[in-house]
Amino acid sequence: MAVSSKNTENTTEIRLDEALGDRYLAYALSTITSRSLPDVRDGLKPVHRRLLFAMRQLRLEPGTGFKKCARVVGDVIGKYHPHGDTAVYDALVRLAQEFAVRYPLVEGQGNFGNVDGDSAAAMRYTESRLTEYALAMLEGIDEAAVDFRENYDGTESEPILMPASVPNLLANGASGIAVGMATSIPPHNLEEICKSLTHLIKFPNATIDKLLSLMPGPDFPTGGVLAETSTNIRSAYKTGRGSFRLRAKWKTEKLQRGQWQIVVTEFPYHVQKSRLVEKVAELMQAKKLPMLDDIRDESAADIRLILEPRSRTIEPEILMETLFQNTDLEVRISMNMNVLDLDTIPRVMGLREVLQSFLDHRHEVLVRRTSNRLEKIEKRLEVLAGYMVVFLNLDEVISIIRNQDQPKPMLIQRWKLTDIQAEAILNMRLRALRKLEEIEIRSEIEGLEKEQNALKVLMEDEGLRWKSIAQEISNIRKRFGKNTDLGKRRTEIGEPPSATVVPITAMIEREPITVICSQMGWIRAVKG
């Protein structure tokens, strides 16, 4: 089918299916690259990147005061992200929820929701600022580490991606649905990721088995027990696609007179406690959980969900197995590492490729920051050389400035200065013309020349650059590793469940009975 129109200078005949296809493809690509999929280098989507950059521009750093979230959202929408305020605020809230992200990038003050599924307060009531982890993501952004582009109306500039000194994609994970594709990456432990990165620097051809020995599986912010076979875990990380069985963490608590109860202390990732309790209550009412007598939520600051068995003769493991099979105390967490690669092309990557992409990004950031620093040192040395001319010929310089209408050309001609040096001399303050200042300038020149030589050696030696990257990773490991409260592993690596089926006898309550047989052949049972 074609769009019929008269051929004139300003109209063109085009098939409708082609026009729709081109426009839908443009929309799909925009959704994939600019909204739904994270970049493999910094692990962020555009909205998260813009939130962090806007908060940095507002100087909302750790140790400073909080600002209303409405102010942050307003800056993001007005300058960088022309979308709905609800979507932007929801993204901000998630970055601050300790039960939603493994390493929060935003520190919130006020009601930011809870594990029961309650939503956050309105943005006019809540306040926020960046965390130390977020600062590590932004480290080097003022040192030409990444490219910038104009915002949507050309009045501001924004970073295309973050320098990201932390491997955020694996540390915090990501999820999103684009057009025709989706991504789902579970969070991991930063200590283990850093170990894998360090090993990959030393051994670029490291096997997936070795990497998994250092990084055995996901580490969810809500804890739980990873109950998956090693074969499935290996396959998922090698191909970038798979799923993991995650179970709630529980223990048996002894009571008086031989009674006992089960206490659930950790829930699977993204399972809302209130909805789980409602679901279990519905199953009990429908008599689909005959071994369970009652469920109570005694949670306060810590999670404490009480499960009471119908009889003390029931095995706790069998009771929990029935609950795992019928409720969200066991869930499957999918993994689909579909990300934008270094060329901004969406594709599924395996674990080794994701780690190597981050290392390549850090190498590029190091080269760019080093080059930028060398340029600044060169410019500073040029200015300092001009200052030394002043102190060696102080009286003559002052005479030229006092007596000449155009002193700048005279200074350039007299001592063969550059334009930058002459301008710096003319902008000097009188208080700088001290003998002590001359000593400080000489000392600064020596320090800068020493740093310049070290940086030039670094730029010429790739091995030194990788050693520097390994040191950066080691520093990140110290800041956010297992020795910190934030870095301790929360998800326990457990054994996969056995294939045994819950016996039907386990569903029957055990109680003493008396069986009576009559002379006529009748049979009946009496309790007791």
Side-chain angles (χ1 to χ4, degrees), residues 123-268:
M123 68 180 82
R124 61 183 178 273
Y125 300 121
T126 55
E127 298 177 336
S128 61
R129 66 183 178 190
L130 296 172
T131 61
E132 288 290 343
Y133 182 90
L135 285 190
M137 290 289 295
L138 292 157
E139 193 175 298
I141 200 168
D142 291 330
E143 301 173 25
V146 292
D147 291 327
F148 279 68
R149 65 185 171 204
E150 289 186 346
N151 66 338
Y152 65 94
D153 62 359
T155 58
E156 301 277 345
S157 60
E158 60 173 324
I160 294 176
L161 73 158
M162 292 297 177
S165 60
V166 289
N168 184 64
L169 180 70
L170 289 172
N172 271 329
S175 61
I177 300 174
V179 177
M181 60 178 62
T183 184
S184 178
I185 303 171
H188 296 79
N189 186 272
L190 196 55
E191 169 89 12
E192 297 167 358
I193 301 171
C194 289
K195 285 182 181 178
S196 300
L197 289 169
T198 304
H199 182 79
L200 197 58
I201 290 174
K202 294 181 180 178
F203 305 98
N205 296 320
T207 63
I208 188 70
D209 294 311
K210 179 59 180 178
L211 294 176
L212 287 179
S213 69
L214 301 170
M215 184 178 160
D219 184 25
F220 298 97
T222 53
V225 179
L226 186 69
E228 191 56 75
T229 63
S230 58
T231 304
N232 288 347
I233 292 175
R234 184 183 186 280
S235 175
Y237 281 109
K238 185 176 182 180
T239 62
R241 294 182 187 273
S243 63
F244 305 99
R245 180 188 285 108
L246 186 64
R247 289 184 161 185
K249 192 172 184 180
W250 61 279
K251 62 182 180 181
T252 304
E253 198 173 77
K254 300 294 183 180
L255 302 175
Q256 295 178 349
R257 299 176 183 176
Q259 301 291 330
W260 55 270
Q261 64 186 13
I262 289 173
V263 181
V264 178
T265 56
E266 293 176 359
F267 283 86

Side-chain angles (χ1 to χ4, degrees), residues 8 16 45 88 112 148 203 222 228 240 260 270 289 317 344 347 392 416 455 458-459 476 495 500 513 515 518:
T8 65
L16 180 60
K45 299 178 186 178
V88 176
F112 276 79
F148 279 68
F203 305 98
T222 53
E228 191 56 75
W260 55 270
H270 284 328
L289 294 174
E317 290 77 13
T344 323
R347 62 191 181 94
L392 293 174
K416 296 181 180 179
L455 292 177
L458 181 66
M459 289 293 285
I476 289 297
E495 295 294 329
T500 55
I513 61 170
V515 179
S518 69

